[in-house]
Amino acid sequence: CDNQSTDNTFELIQQFKDERIRLYQNNENYGMVENFNIVLSKAEGVYTKLLCADDIITEDAIEKQVSVFLSNENQQLVMVASEKKVIDEKGKQLFIKRFPGKMRVYEGEKIIRKSFRHGTNIFGEPGSVLFLTKAIQRAGKIKLPLELTYIVDLQLYIQILKQGNLYVLKEPLFSFRVSRHSYTAQSKWMPAKVFHRFRKKLSKERTIEFSFLDKTLAFTMSWVLCVARNIIFTFTNKK
């Protein structure tokens, strides 16, 4: 789903003659949140993977994640996540981002709270996750104000994990590209500020009940990670 990109992405994809590829182009740039809603509404398969821009998945990523769904049919899974590699503009690996836990099934609401205690989205970007399409349909549109766009993926995960459980594969099946022009790299101190406002929004709406410890860790860790993220992006952009 091309959101009025300014390069020749749409024309390049048109060159692929494969009936399995369905290509859409928005009439205007609707922003990240609405573009997510548009493309997710067009999903028709049993499972859905949302892959953004120039990120990469391994050749066996979908196979391995589907296998988890099929071998855990009684676990009420709605999401399967993997770990990720962080790569630079040229595709060179910078480091591997590990999931803070074991390879197993996690109860939906408990793992959401764990994510906030770590002050970040511990599930990874959309490319690291495979969704049960029915769960996406039940979740409905992503409900998020424009000023919280940065955490659109976490909002989506919460809407889905409120319905069931998560399984985490402890291997990197996805590569997230750090580019000096990317939305993430230019975010500076915004992640911590947005994360804090988002947590307060969820509390006000009673989506998740946070303890005092949850709130304290969410605030502290989000700022610690924001500092670390800025150092990494600054170092990467000098290469």
Side-chain angles (χ1 to χ4, degrees):
C1 185
D2 183 78
N3 196 30
Q4 284 293 312
S5 59
T6 55
D7 54 21
N8 63 336
T9 296
F10 189 80
E11 290 74 21
L12 282 172
I13 297 174
Q14 283 182 313
Q15 296 176 21
F16 290 96
K17 305 303 179 183
D18 190 324
E19 61 183 13
R20 296 172 298 180
I21 297 176
R22 288 182 292 136
L23 176 62
Y24 303 93
Q25 188 175 48
N26 296 336
N27 295 326
E28 59 183 279
N29 188 316
Y30 292 111
M32 188 185 300
V33 176
E34 188 55 29
N35 192 46
F36 272 31
N37 283 325
I38 291 170
V39 72
L40 288 172
S41 72
K42 298 180 183 299
E44 297 178 354
V46 177
Y47 309 104
T48 298
K49 179 173 283 289
L50 187 61
L51 189 63
C52 304
D54 56 354
D55 298 334
I56 302 170
I57 56 175
T58 62
E59 293 182 357
D60 57 356
I62 294 175
E63 178 184 0
K64 287 184 175 180
Q65 291 182 311
V66 168
S67 294
V68 171
F69 272 110
L70 295 179
S71 58
N72 291 274
E73 293 181 340
N74 299 321
Q75 298 291 336
Q76 297 181 309
L77 296 184
V78 290
M79 270 175 56
V80 175
S82 70
E83 296 178 325
K84 71 177 181 183
K85 295 179 181 179
V86 177
I87 59 177
D88 64 15
E89 293 179 343
K90 297 180 179 180
K92 180 182 178 181
Q93 179 179 318
L94 301 175
F95 59 91
I96 296 178
K97 178 71 180 296
R98 300 293 184 184
F99 178 82
K102 298 179 180 180
M103 186 170 77
R104 64 178 179 87
V105 177
Y106 290 88
E107 186 179 327
E109 191 157 325
K110 287 183 178 179
I111 197 64
I112 294 171
R113 189 171 289 104
K114 180 182 177 75
S115 185
F116 276 88
R117 285 191 170 206
H118 280 77
T120 187
N121 169 10
I122 62 174
F123 313 104
E125 288 71 19
S128 65
V129 172
L130 187 69
F131 304 109
L132 185 67
T133 305
K134 287 183 179 179
I136 292 175
Q137 295 166 346
R138 289 193 297 263
K141 284 192 171 184
I142 302 171
K143 309 172 186 70
L144 197 69
L146 183 62
E147 62 269 21
L148 299 182
T149 296
Y150 184 83
I151 44 80
V152 58
D153 46 2
L154 186 54
Q155 173 66 54
L156 173 61
Y157 301 161
I158 290 172
Q159 290 179 213
I160 290 175
L161 287 172
K162 290 283 287 183
Q163 305 175 48
N165 300 326
L166 167 78
Y167 192 100
V168 177
L169 283 167
K170 293 286 292 182
E171 61 177 305
L173 302 177
F174 163 72
S175 294
F176 177 66
R177 193 181 303 272
V178 177
S179 164
R180 71 192 67 183
H181 304 297
S182 70
Y183 186 73
T184 303
Q186 296 181 34
S187 59
K188 299 297 180 183
W189 305 109
M190 182 178 65
K193 296 177 182 178
V194 170
F195 193 80
H196 184 56
R197 290 201 295 266
F198 182 51
R199 202 278 307 155
K200 293 176 68 175
K201 171 182 177 291
L202 295 176
S203 293
K204 184 178 180 180
E205 296 172 349
R206 295 188 178 278
T207 304
I208 301 289
E209 295 293 335
F210 294 106
S211 66
F212 176 76
L213 180 60
D214 292 335
K215 296 174 184 178
T216 303
L217 286 173
F219 181 82
T220 304
M221 290 304 299
S222 63
W223 278 102
V224 170
L225 291 171
C226 200
V227 171
R229 189 181 295 112
N230 275 285
I231 292 173
I232 291 172
F233 287 156
T234 300
F235 175 77
T236 301
N237 290 336
K238 287 182 178 179
K239 292 290 184 179

